[in-house]
Every structure is written in C-alpha cells, then in structure tokens.
Amino acid sequence: MNKMLRVFLMLPVICLSGCWSSIELNKLAIVTAMGIDKTENGYLVTVQILNPSELAGDARSGRTEVVTFKKSGATIFEAIKSLSTDVPRRIYVAHLREVVFGEEMAREGIAKPLDVLSRQKELRSDFYMTVAKGSTAYDTLNVQTALEKIPANKVFDSLENSAKRWAATKTVTLDELVSSIVSKGREAMLTGIYVYGDPESGSNVTNAQNLSPKSGLRLDYLGVFKKDKLVGWLNKNDSKGVSYITDTVKSTVETIPCEGEKITINTFKSKTKVKGKVEKGNPKIDINVSSEGSIGEVECTIDLTKPEKIEELNKRYAKDIKGKIEGSIKTLQEKYQSDIFGFGEEIHRTDPQAWKRLEGNWGQEFANLDVNVTVKAKIRNLGTISESFQKEIEE
C-alpha cells in the first residue's frame, strides 16, 4: 500500500517535469531589434540578435554582444524565414525591443509590415516602433552603442527617458500604431531615429569603446503620418506642442526672454483637457492647459523676490507654451492636414451624429478647424537660491 501511495504522489512531479513544446535556450536566436526596408523587388529585413556567449559570465572574447543579419525577400515573412540560411538557430522574437522602418519604407506605407508583425503569436506588445530618419533601417541597426551593450536596449531606454524628461519624442507600441492608422479621427506619429557621424565606423566594435564614439544613434523628433504613410517631420517646438495637446508632458523645459537674456523653466507638471463641440454645423476644439514649473537657470539680473516679477514670468511662461501648441496646430493643419492630435475622435465622442457627416472629409475639416487654446502656467519654486549672484558681479 505504501509503495502504491508513493507512486501516486510521484506522478504529478513526473508530469510537470517538462513541457512538450519547450525549446532549449541554446537553440534560439533571440532577436532584440528588427528593421524593415523597401527594395526594388520586395523587402530587406534586418535583425539584431544577441550573442549569448558575450553576455554570460565575466569572460570576454572581444566579439560583439549582438550580431546583425539581413536578408531580402519578395515578402517580409519570406525574408524572415530565409534568415535561417545564415542564422544557425531558430529566430525568436518574443524579446523584441524595437522595430525600425527605413524612411523610404515609411513613406511608401507600413500597412504590410504591420500585418506581418500583428500575426506573430510570439510577439509581445511592449516593444517600440520608430522611423530611421533620412536613412535605412539596416544602417540604424548596424551601429554599436556606448553605455548600453545591446543597441536595442539603448534605443528603448532612450525613448522612455526622453518621453518622460524632454517631451519632444513619443513611445509608440505596435497596438497604438495600428489603432491610430485604422482610426478615422486620429492619425499616427512615430519618433525618428538617426545615425550621427560615420555609419561605417559605427559597425566596428571599437566604436563603443572610444571615449568619444565616432558614430552613434540619436533620437530625433516626431514623424507625421496620413493613414499608413509618412508625410513629413516636425521640429522640436512643434513636437513639444503635440505632447502638450495630447497630455503626455511629464517633464520638459521652456526658455523665455528676460531683460535681453534668458530664463529656463523646468516644467514638472502639466495637465491638458481637450473638448470638442459642433456649433452651427462647424466643429470646434477647446484646449485648456495647466502647467507648473520651477526656475532651472537664470541668465539675467531679474529680482525673483518680487511677486510682480514672478507674475510677469508666469505670463511669459504661459505664452511660450501656447506658442508651441498653436505652432504645432498650424503646421499640422496647413502643411500636412494630418490630425495626429485625435481631434476627430473628440468630436466623435461629443457629437456622434455630426461626426457621421464630418468623418468622410475629416482631412479637409481638420485643416479648417477652429481651435481655441488657453494656457495657465505658474512658477512654483525658484530652486535653492532666490536671487542670482550675477547681479553682485555686475555691480
């Protein structure tokens, strides 16, 4: 009886000791980044794969932590599958951190690449999408980076850090991108990324070992889409304006004039409310922004202990933010006719009946849309000193 009992107790352990679909780690080629470019006869797919022997333990052979492979195909899926002729392991994309579209690819349309990515059951939805500004995805993924051993992690972390502290870039996941493209009241946007310096030297392992690397990856500003096609790029101020409107500003800086010099204000809190309405058949948008900041740098000799001086700075602070918001709206309306703000979605929520009439020609409606912007901004603290010592130097 005791023997029989032991057998029954051991059965669950035996059954749970393995998984029928498991694959050993040394049989996988773990992809951290993927690039997609357009070619004359199809597509060029580039993958950045971890080199586990260089990441495990303390011993190093001098080889790179990642290896880049590329392959062409009539379709994207064909190109991915044909990578098996170069890669001795099964391509595994569950740990993907970044997808880069070459600018030419993005301008022709990214619907087909998104279809492929959306169908892959191994893919998670927490990686970010970017566009190689003025370059190819292959060149972007062929650069060794300093500080981070894995270039894909460098770009991933830079996107998150920049979105939180600079507000001129955005993190966009696959699901968010697809949702924007299929929406009739919001267009898509992606952050640009480019290779600075010499792209050829960037692929050399010694590039990341230099005190001042000759080449590297740097984030740019926002790329504007209409449907699935890239139509142009925003500058720094317009990109910040978009972040204010879409209520994604967590921290950024505003530099305002001060007695012929400048004062820089650190915005540490911002809240935006967008309200749509339809009056006499015409859609309208009201934007209300409330921001708070602290003095980050003073170049002039203003007396910050005087309340009237702070109030004057508050007005300039609000004017600066409003200027960025209105500038981004003007650019998107006049130059691109692309509603990346989601004003159409707001009109749809506010007045579904009116939206039925407006959605068929929303691009033109957006270009002529009446947008009212109100900004309230306050400086909450002056830093660790209230009055600059520069005044004493000049005296």
Side-chain angles (χ1 to χ4, degrees):
M1 184 68 180
N2 289 336
K3 289 183 178 180
M4 186 65 71
L5 181 60
R6 283 198 295 269
V7 171
F8 278 114
L9 290 174
M10 290 174 65
L11 277 175
V13 177
I14 295 171
C15 293
L16 295 173
S17 62
C19 178
W20 69 271
S21 62
S22 66
I23 300 177
E24 295 298 326
L25 188 61
N26 61 4
K27 299 293 184 182
L28 298 177
I30 299 175
V31 178
T32 58
M34 180 182 294
I36 304 175
D37 290 303
K38 195 76 175 68
T39 65
E40 290 184 6
N41 301 315
Y43 302 89
L44 176 69
V45 173
T46 307
V47 291
Q48 198 175 87
I49 296 175
L50 291 181
N51 188 355
S53 63
E54 292 301 305
L55 293 169
D58 297 326
R60 294 288 185 271
S61 68
R63 293 180 296 180
T64 60
E65 284 80 6
V66 294
V67 182
T68 301
F69 294 91
K70 63 177 179 177
K71 213 70 177 176
S72 298
T75 66
I76 296 168
F77 195 69
E78 178 184 306
I80 294 173
K81 282 292 185 180
S82 66
L83 282 164
S84 61
T85 60
D86 286 343
V87 183
R89 302 180 180 188
R90 180 192 150 196
I91 299 293
Y92 188 64
V93 295
H95 296 285
L96 192 66
R97 303 290 272 171
E98 176 200 9
V99 171
V100 185
F101 299 112
E103 180 162 341
E104 183 182 351
M105 170 85 257
R107 287 189 180 276
E108 288 195 18
I110 59 175
K112 293 176 182 178
L114 293 179
D115 177 89
V116 176
L117 295 172
S118 299
R119 292 178 186 275
Q120 305 311 304
K121 61 182 180 181
E122 286 181 346
L123 275 180
R124 300 182 300 188
S125 59
D126 59 350
F127 59 91
Y128 294 140
M129 321 290 290
T130 55
V131 177
K133 185 176 181 181
S135 182
T136 63
Y138 169 74
D139 285 341
T140 302
L141 295 186
N142 207 34
V143 174
Q144 295 289 325
T145 56
L147 294 182
E148 288 287 350
K149 296 179 180 179
I150 303 171
N153 285 350
K154 187 270 182 191
V155 176
F156 184 93
D157 293 339
S158 293
L159 277 166
E160 290 198 330
N161 188 47
S162 179
K164 290 177 182 177
R165 302 179 185 279
W166 183 232
T169 61
K170 276 190 179 294
T171 57
V172 180
T173 64
L174 174 63
D175 292 343
E176 291 170 339
L177 180 58
V178 172
S179 178
S180 297
I181 288 175
V182 300
S183 172
K184 294 187 177 180
R186 178 188 296 272
E187 299 287 2
M189 56 181 150
L190 289 178
T191 298
I193 182 171
Y194 66 95
V195 180
Y196 67 85
D198 179 18
E200 291 187 8
S201 66
S203 62
N204 195 315
V205 66
T206 59
N207 179 65
Q209 298 171 349
N210 292 329
L211 182 63
S212 180
K214 295 180 180 179
S215 182
L217 298 176
R218 185 171 292 156
L219 299 181
D220 198 74
Y221 305 117
L222 297 178
V224 179
F225 283 72
K226 288 191 74 172
K227 297 299 181 182
D228 70 321
K229 294 180 174 61
L230 176 73
V231 293
W233 297 93
L234 299 181
N235 61 26
K236 177 186 70 175
N237 287 340
D238 287 347
S239 295
K240 281 189 177 184
V242 171
S243 293
Y244 274 110
I245 294 172
T246 55
D247 197 25
T248 55
V249 173
K250 297 178 176 64
S251 177
T252 189
V253 296
E254 308 299 341
T255 300
I256 60 178
C258 170
E259 299 177 359
E261 297 290 345
K262 300 180 183 68
I263 282 184
T264 300
I265 300 172
N266 174 42
T267 297
F268 57 77
K269 184 178 180 181
S270 185
K271 182 66 178 175
T272 301
K273 292 183 179 180
V274 177
K275 183 66 176 176
K277 57 185 176 182
V278 179
E279 293 181 350
K280 297 180 181 180
N282 297 317
K284 295 184 178 181
I285 293 289
D286 289 324
I287 300 174
N288 288 280
V289 179
S290 177
S291 295
E292 297 180 15
S294 60
I295 298 295
E297 180 181 356
V298 178
E299 291 187 351
C300 59
T301 57
I302 188 172
D303 187 352
L304 296 176
T305 62
K306 295 183 178 180
E308 62 269 22
K309 294 295 183 179
I310 296 297
E311 186 56 36
E312 183 181 338
L313 289 179
N314 286 339
K315 292 178 180 179
R316 294 180 191 172
Y317 181 24
K319 182 179 179 181
D320 185 84
I321 295 174
K322 185 176 181 179
K324 287 182 171 64
I325 292 173
E326 291 180 336
S328 67
I329 293 171
K330 182 178 180 181
T331 299
L332 270 299
Q333 284 184 321
E334 297 182 1
K335 189 173 182 179
Y336 299 124
Q337 295 83 50
S338 176
D339 181 11
I340 64 176
F341 309 111
F343 290 159
E345 289 183 346
E346 179 59 30
I347 295 294
H348 185 196
R349 282 192 294 268
T350 305
D351 196 332
Q353 286 299 116
W355 177 248
K356 290 180 180 180
R357 173 177 58 83
L358 296 169
E359 66 173 321
N361 191 37
W362 182 243
Q364 189 59 43
E365 293 287 349
F366 168 76
N368 299 313
L369 186 64
D370 183 13
V371 183
N372 179 55
V373 181
T374 302
V375 178
K376 293 182 179 179
K378 286 190 175 182
I379 297 171
R380 291 299 186 186
N381 62 73
L382 308 178
T384 57
I385 58 174
S386 58
E387 193 170 354
S388 176
F389 58 82
Q390 296 179 73
K391 186 176 180 180
E392 297 179 14
I393 296 174
E394 292 185 3
E395 290 177 349

